[in-house]
Amino acid sequence: MKQALTGNEAAAIAAKLARVKVISAYPITPQTAVVERLAEFVANGELDAEFIKVESEHSALSACIGAAATGTRTFTATSSQGLMLMSEMLFVASGLRLPIVMANANRSLSAPLSIWCDQQDSMAVRDSGWVQLYCENNQEVLDSVLQAYRVAEELLLPVMVCFDGFILSHTAEPVDIPGQAEVDEFLPPYKLPNPLDPCRPVTMGPVGVPECYEEFRCMLQEATRASKEKLIEVGRAFWKHFRRRYGLIERYRSNDADVLLLTMGSLGSSAKDIVDSYRKRGEKVGLVRVRSFRPFPVKELIDALGSAKAVSVLEKDVSPGSAGALFLDTAAAFINVKRAPLMLDFICGLGGRDVSSLHIREAVRAATRAAEIGEVRKAVRWLGLREKLVGLRI
Amino acid sequence: MVARVMSGNEVVAYGVKLSRAEIVPSYPITPQTTIVEQIAEFIANGEMRAELMRVESEYAAMGACIGASLMGARTFTATSSQGLAFMHELTHWAAGSRLPIVMAVVNRAMAPPWNIWADQQDVLSQRDTGWLSLFCETNQEVLDTCIQAFRISEDREVLLPVMFSLDGFMLSHTSEPVELPKQGDVDGFLPESRRPPLLDVDHPTTLFNVPVPEQYMEFRHWIEKSMDAARRVIPKADREFKRRFGRGYRGMLEPYWLEGAEVALLTAGSVCGTVRDVVESLRKRGEKVGMIKLRSFRPFPSEELRRACEGLRVLGVADRACSFGMGGIIFSDVSAALQPLNVRVLGFIAGLGGRDITHRDIWRMFKRCIRAIEVTPARAIEWFV
Amino acid sequence: MREELVEEELFAPGHRACAGCGATLAVRLALKALGKNVIVANATGCVEVISTPYPETAWRVPWIHAAFENAAAVASGVEAALKSLGRRGVKVVAIAGDGGTADIGLQALSGAVERGHDFIYICYDNEAYMNTGIQRSSATPFGAWTTTTPVGRVKRGKDRPKKDVPAIIAAHGAPYVATASVAYPIDLIKKLRKAAATEGPTYIHIHCPCPPGWRFDSDKMIEVARLAVLSGAWILYEIKNGRLNVTIKPPKRRPVSDYLKMQGRFKHLTDAEIAEIQRTVDERCRHLGVG
Amino acid sequence: MKSWRGPPVPVAARPSVGSSGRTSSWRIQKPVVNLKRCTRCRMCWIFCPDVAISFTKRGPAINHDYCKGCGICANECPAKAITMEAL
């Protein structure tokens, strides 16, 4: 049945539908409503689960690791500073191959302190071995959490479902909530191959001397690569049950486009409006939205962007001293491809800065100009900077 | 100049002593421990006037560094893998607050499985923090980079914390001959250590208040501008160091034997020494190969790299880390920088968790690059187990 | 033999601990007391590193190691999972060293105890970061040499007293807190059995001498541990629901110098410094009602 | 999952004796039990950190594969029935 839900509520309801057994989370803006709603479900008996109200995010993920290793389906949720505090444990969760699912309401990193949305936090932990899905709307948040459990438990990999803080987490949108029976059919109960059990003692997290360490890291890399096919397979299974289609990327009017926008998260919806307005004027502009940033859809992006003349990457994060993470990895995907499009990187929307249609149009114009002159003079640019504030010359 | 045979960790301790660091908050973690033990020795024997804070965790170590640095004291800390990941939230904070702090990262693999040996996963995963990130090939370079790091970090145009990396055990616990500069010369090279405190009862100020969305982005852009400034300051500091002490490291990136080279291998850290040997032996056999030693990972020297790769057909990037679900970490930055040139780039991931990268491994990497001149490789990123 | 001492060995021989290691003996005795139905969450430290080189392990019970500072947090996750699975009769045990308990892991421990999880937290206290090479921790006693509190012209050993973690945990209202020593195995095993029988968070702080770290010959390990108790430097007590009861009262306390003189880490102490340590030990014994 | 090389079990290990091989190579002296003087009080068994002493009907038996020669049993034996001798 359809209901107006915020992103936080969508994530909480998805966790309930997935019949999670142990929730371990620490409140942090803008993720708090996820924790509050789950606490109500447990208090009202709507969800039979243990809710550990831990004393820090580092302990939040540590408790999830303990619970998942003991053989229960676990869930946690956090944002920016919390994600950074638990970043050491992100490596441990993926290294121990525990299928933990986490909802991350994207929020910028401090200092200076900011509670508003950008994707710097989940981007900063892209090397940790977690599958990372970025959602465009609250329906996708709910659906991605359900799909995340299938992907996680079949490949023994933790999955992070990211959605924009406030823009999605606190904005209500109509969301179709599937019935419990349908979800039980789509999502079988949780079975870990080697749980912590006194009847079959096992040692988890031993010392790995150089002679065997690299093999485990190689297996983790292969598992994250294998999660591409798994995400597609689970997306198809989801279409069969719930009639909503999800893949690694979303292509919007991109097949014959000369200029393409490449972005992630809720920025995709605003970009679609701009694409429509250009298309009305007969200009071949399209959009590709990356849903799965890890595993990075190299082949899919080569197919989707290969035919375009120029691509403008719009991303809400930057690696200071280099460029945006999406731009870096997309460039890496195209490095040995003969006919690669020209690429421009636009850093925008940091710290909750609004990315208006004017900014997106500026990105399209820059890409069109680059396509005409056939080269890119300045690859990395910033959109929406207010010079007056700090007397900057861009 | 006093020449002595010293391990990488001892060298860092001497570098910190010569740089007159004042506050050293730190928490022990293998293989970094002998740095702090040596500093404790100096202080206990009155050779060094500094406050060694034995904090209860790496998270507290970076917190203490932030407090000390904003009070104007020259601050140093050192850590490895798990410790660096544990203080990750505060490394972002330190860079965002524009505080000059110098940190030695003795590279060690990330767990699990639990491993204390060297690879670069820990420091390369810190690429978005806003810290400058330098790599060292030899113990001499560790000492010189440590001293240069204080000058770069406290430069008015940069004002960003700097982390410099040395390979765990391969450098940290391996002794090499090192020349120790005299205290007077180092004092001449480094600015006065004491800066005005930002918190002062006479001029009460609030630090790090909350910028609303209309103000936040400009602070991040300021960091980007300081990174651009650092692209000038790092080579300048290196040249100035060479003028005073006779040793220089070609700034952010050192091309090695690229004259007439068709293929080159880019890497960072102590493995560069091995690559130099292999380049030499291959050159004797008439192979047109060379090496590019990456000294500064952040800021990433894109222009210098493009200039160095002008004549190249194929560039191999040997990453001692992996961004799981994608591939090499340095590989992505190199690919973005070399976009305009049509240089083919191959990524290799090798030497994780202390596994040696042998001459044979590097020889095989060069072979793959040479073969890639004609044949486009199926997979751009290959795992060298 | 007393019925407390069961034959079963749940900690296999062949682990890599140094000869005469007190910590491994503490863990061996603890597992003997608790039996097979336990799940161990171990923090990084000597015991973890010496017992689990992949692909072997010395643990004959389920065991998980995540990181250094979260043994108590991982344990609370395991306990919650067991409760949700409706799994009865399995006791969750968190094991960590003094650094992992008093310093880097104190927050996770405090959180887990305050939340009232049903688990036992065992701290094997060898009074410094031995795994990383004998650096000072907050549990290192006053005056002791370590590699980060060296004895030099200006500074001489640790200049702060030992952190009293059992008191901190008791202040959380934990139902059962006790100190133990490897030199008194029966007392140790009885206390662990009491902890196992107690519902809710319990804390056992075991004193474990470390031959390389405290600088004495390995064969004297038990003797040093015993002397710590006989001289009052280490007091064996239990706190049950807030009421303190000293379980082993030495008939006539030995001078603390007998204990200090056996260990190289104290050999630099002057008579004045030893007298100062004697004064603090006397005061603490009077405070806890030990003769 | 099939395409993975290496053991499918994630980073885990099954319990086994001798987790790091014969640690007996570490010792420079070894305990010798004089069964006549031994009173079967088991103090040696209880205080052994390496679980290298087991009890048979005839008294304590030292497992020389894993005894590291630390000397605690000899030092603690009330009847002085155990002496440490050169290898």
Side-chain angles (χ1 to χ4, degrees), chain A residues 173-250:
Chain A
E173 284 178 345
V175 172
D176 171 51
I177 304 172
Q180 184 66 62
E182 285 169 294
V183 174
D184 291 345
E185 212 187 290
F186 169 74
L187 189 56
Y190 171 52
K191 189 82 196 57
L192 186 74
N194 298 289
L196 291 172
D197 177 1
C199 309
R200 288 177 70 249
V202 70
T203 285
M204 269 193 177
V207 172
V209 291
E211 285 66 35
C212 72
Y213 177 85
E214 200 159 342
E215 281 65 25
F216 282 106
R217 300 315 252 179
C218 195
M219 274 194 330
L220 181 58
Q221 167 75 340
E222 288 211 356
T224 40
R225 278 240 178 79
S227 62
K228 265 204 262 182
E229 290 76 34
K230 184 59 70 179
L231 277 164
I232 295 167
E233 179 199 317
V234 167
R236 280 202 205 94
F238 197 84
W239 161 258
K240 270 217 266 48
H241 283 86
F242 305 102
R243 282 289 171 261
R244 286 189 291 274
R245 199 180 292 282
Y246 292 100
L248 300 175
I249 60 174
E250 179 194 0

Side-chain angles (χ1 to χ4, degrees), chain B residues 19-91:
Chain B
S19 309
R20 294 189 190 283
E22 292 159 306
I23 311 276
V24 181
S26 71
Y27 185 79
I29 179 168
T30 306
Q32 156 261 38
T33 41
T34 47
I35 296 177
V36 182
E37 287 167 13
Q38 182 64 62
I39 290 175
E41 241 9 277
F42 289 151
I43 295 170
N45 295 329
E47 291 173 50
M48 181 177 177
R49 240 177 17 76
E51 179 68 28
L52 176 64
M53 294 173 62
R54 301 163 183 85
V55 290
E56 80 284 359
S57 75
E58 288 89 358
Y59 190 81
M62 189 45 69
C65 283
I66 289 169
S69 181
L70 65 85
M71 290 309 288
R74 179 166 286 170
T75 310
F76 170 81
T77 188
T79 191
S80 297
S81 79
Q82 302 307 116
L84 188 55
F86 188 37
M87 63 164 69
H88 188 60
E89 180 191 2
L90 292 182
T91 44

Side-chain angles (χ1 to χ4, degrees), chain B residues 26-30 33-34 36-38 40-47 50-52 54-59 82 86 108 111-114, chain C residues 44 48-49 54 65-69 99-100 102-105 129 131-136 145 147-155 159 163:
Chain B
S26 71
Y27 185 79
I29 179 168
T30 306
T33 41
T34 47
V36 182
E37 287 167 13
Q38 182 64 62
E41 241 9 277
F42 289 151
I43 295 170
N45 295 329
E47 291 173 50
E51 179 68 28
L52 176 64
R54 301 163 183 85
V55 290
E56 80 284 359
S57 75
E58 288 89 358
Y59 190 81
Q82 302 307 116
F86 188 37
R108 163 182 156 182
W114 202 257
Chain C
T44 311
E48 174 262 331
V49 171
Y54 182 85
H65 157 247
F68 195 3
E69 57 278 40
D103 293 341
I104 197 167
Y129 287 102
N131 172 34
T132 45
I134 321 168
Q135 289 82 25
R136 164 249 205 244
W145 164 89
T147 55
T148 49
T149 56
V151 177
R153 274 188 302 99
V154 175
K155 301 225 192 258
D159 52 6
K163 182 186 276 190

Side-chain angles (χ1 to χ4, degrees), chain A residues 58 81-82 84-85 87-88 91-96 108-116 118 120 123-130 205-218 220-222 224-225 293-296 298 317-323 325 327-336 338 340-343 347-354 382-387 389-390 392-394, chain B residues 59 82-86 88-90 92-97 109-117 119 121 124-131 208-225 227 231 297-302 322-329 331-341 343-346 349-355 376-377 379-381 383-385:
Chain A
H58 194 282
Q81 301 310 110
M84 293 304 112
L85 177 56
S87 53
E88 179 195 9
F91 284 91
V92 174
S94 59
L96 286 180
S108 54
L109 289 181
S110 38
L113 187 83
S114 159
I115 60 166
W116 292 276
D118 69 33
Q120 188 67 64
M123 281 303 192
V125 289
R126 55 189 182 278
D127 309 330
S128 59
W130 283 58
V207 172
V209 291
E211 285 66 35
C212 72
Y213 177 85
E214 200 159 342
E215 281 65 25
F216 282 106
R217 300 315 252 179
C218 195
L220 181 58
Q221 167 75 340
E222 288 211 356
T224 40
R225 278 240 178 79
F293 184 71
R294 284 293 186 271
F296 194 70
V298 174
D317 71 281
V318 67
S319 191
S322 184
F327 173 75
L328 291 176
D329 284 353
T330 311
F334 271 94
I335 191 62
N336 295 334
K338 252 189 273 346
L342 295 170
M343 276 190 220
I347 314 291
C348 58
L350 298 188
R353 175 73 44 94
D354 199 25
W382 290 55
L383 276 179
L385 274 179
R386 297 171 57 237
E387 304 89 2
L389 180 74
V390 283
L392 288 169
R393 288 173 330 288
I394 299 163
Chain B
Y59 190 81
Q82 302 307 116
L84 188 55
F86 188 37
H88 188 60
E89 180 191 2
L90 292 182
H92 279 285
W93 191 282
S97 339
M110 290 295 290
W114 202 257
N115 183 305
I116 59 169
W117 293 275
D119 70 28
Q121 181 81 32
L124 292 179
S125 300
Q126 302 275 327
R127 49 186 162 169
D128 292 355
T129 53
W131 284 60
F208 317 140
N209 36 14
V210 182
V212 293
E214 286 67 35
Q215 301 146 337
Y216 175 88
M217 196 163 167
E218 283 63 29
F219 291 106
R220 303 299 291 177
H221 188 260
W222 227 341
I223 292 177
E224 192 59 37
K225 285 185 70 59
M227 280 288 188
R231 285 191 173 90
F297 173 59
R298 283 295 183 272
F300 193 77
S302 306
C322 176
S323 183
F324 297 101
M326 177 58 191
I329 293 178
F331 178 78
S332 289
D333 282 282
V334 167
S335 308
L338 295 187
Q339 274 242 305
L341 311 178
V343 176
R344 196 162 279 163
V345 182
L346 287 187
I349 298 173
L352 298 191
R355 184 157 299 177
T376 337
R379 249 167 123 177
I381 296 158
W383 197 293
F384 250 64
V385 181

Side-chain angles (χ1 to χ4, degrees), chain A residues 364-382:
Chain A
V364 173
R365 270 200 309 280
T368 322
R369 223 176 303 112
E372 277 146 20
I373 56 176
E375 56 138 4
V376 175
R377 243 176 249 98
K378 192 169 189 308
V380 184
R381 304 172 202 190
W382 290 55

Side-chain angles (χ1 to χ4, degrees), chain D residues 34-64:
Chain D
N34 175 343
L35 289 175
K36 277 196 284 315
R37 297 179 66 124
C38 167
T39 62
R40 307 308 189 265
C41 71
R42 291 194 176 214
M43 294 296 273
C44 53
W45 164 65
I46 187 70
F47 281 136
C48 173
D50 285 294
V51 202
I53 301 178
S54 51
F55 244 75
T56 60
K57 281 185 290 321
R58 293 178 44 257
I62 311 267
N63 177 339
H64 284 297

Side-chain angles (χ1 to χ4, degrees), chain C:
Chain C
M1 208 55 200
R2 308 286 285 270
E3 79 313 305
E4 287 92 358
L5 289 171
V6 299
E7 287 291 322
E8 192 184 25
E9 298 293 353
L10 294 172
F11 196 67
H15 55 70
R16 293 191 294 187
C18 317
C21 168
T24 34
L25 179 58
V27 166
R28 176 188 163 219
L29 294 174
L31 290 179
K32 248 188 207 309
L34 299 173
K36 179 162 86 48
N37 283 326
V38 291
I39 294 181
V40 171
N42 198 190
T44 311
C46 278
V47 166
E48 174 262 331
V49 171
I50 55 101
S51 58
T52 61
Y54 182 85
E56 283 99 14
T57 176
W59 298 87
R60 288 182 169 132
V61 290
W63 178 94
I64 180 167
H65 157 247
F68 195 3
E69 57 278 40
N70 60 4
V74 174
S76 51
V78 173
E79 188 258 0
L82 291 174
K83 207 186 286 179
S84 74
L85 289 171
R87 188 72 187 276
R88 283 268 157 281
V90 176
K91 195 70 172 183
V92 182
V93 180
I95 298 180
D98 52 293
T101 305
D103 293 341
I104 197 167
L106 188 62
Q107 177 192 301
L109 171 56
S110 170
V113 170
E114 181 272 332
R115 293 192 298 272
H117 289 282
D118 178 20
F119 78 116
I120 304 173
Y121 189 101
I122 296 174
C123 169
Y124 59 86
D125 182 357
N126 47 23
E127 296 189 333
Y129 287 102
M130 297 311 179
N131 172 34
T132 45
I134 321 168
Q135 289 82 25
R136 164 249 205 244
S137 82
S138 61
T140 303
F142 176 78
W145 164 89
T146 69
T147 55
T148 49
T149 56
V151 177
R153 274 188 302 99
V154 175
K155 301 225 192 258
R156 298 169 52 76
K158 184 174 189 232
D159 52 6
R160 291 292 302 155
K162 182 184 179 74
K163 182 186 276 190
D164 186 355
V165 180
I168 295 170
I169 302 306
H172 282 70
Y176 186 73
V177 170
T179 58
S181 165
V182 287
Y184 294 81
I186 306 299
D187 175 67
L188 184 148
I189 286 172
K190 270 197 194 139
K191 286 172 175 170
L192 273 155
R193 291 250 164 86
K194 272 191 205 155
T198 309
E199 185 70 27
T202 54
Y203 178 81
I204 309 289
H205 194 106
I206 307 175
H207 197 226
C208 316
C210 167
W214 300 10
R215 300 311 206 208
F216 64 84
D217 290 340
S218 58
D219 60 344
K220 295 289 183 297
M221 192 271 283
I222 297 294
E223 214 174 303
V224 166
R226 188 175 296 119
L227 255 179
V229 176
L230 295 180
S231 66
W234 183 254
I235 299 167
L236 294 176
Y237 60 83
E238 57 186 5
I239 305 173
K240 215 166 178 200
N241 298 323
R243 273 193 338 284
L244 185 131
N245 152 38
V246 179
T247 53
I248 304 260
K249 280 202 175 88
K252 192 184 161 316
R253 257 191 312 118
R254 301 271 294 274
V256 80
S257 55
D258 292 358
Y259 169 60
L260 300 176
K261 288 229 166 8
M262 293 193 70
Q263 304 165 58
R265 61 175 177 164
F266 291 119
K267 72 175 185 319
H268 60 281
L269 291 181
T270 60
D271 292 345
E273 285 160 337
I274 292 177
E276 167 56 19
I277 294 174
Q278 183 67 62
R279 191 188 58 74
T280 50
V281 166
D282 295 343
E283 192 190 300
R284 183 155 162 71
C285 288
R286 215 175 305 110
H287 174 62
L288 292 182
V290 177

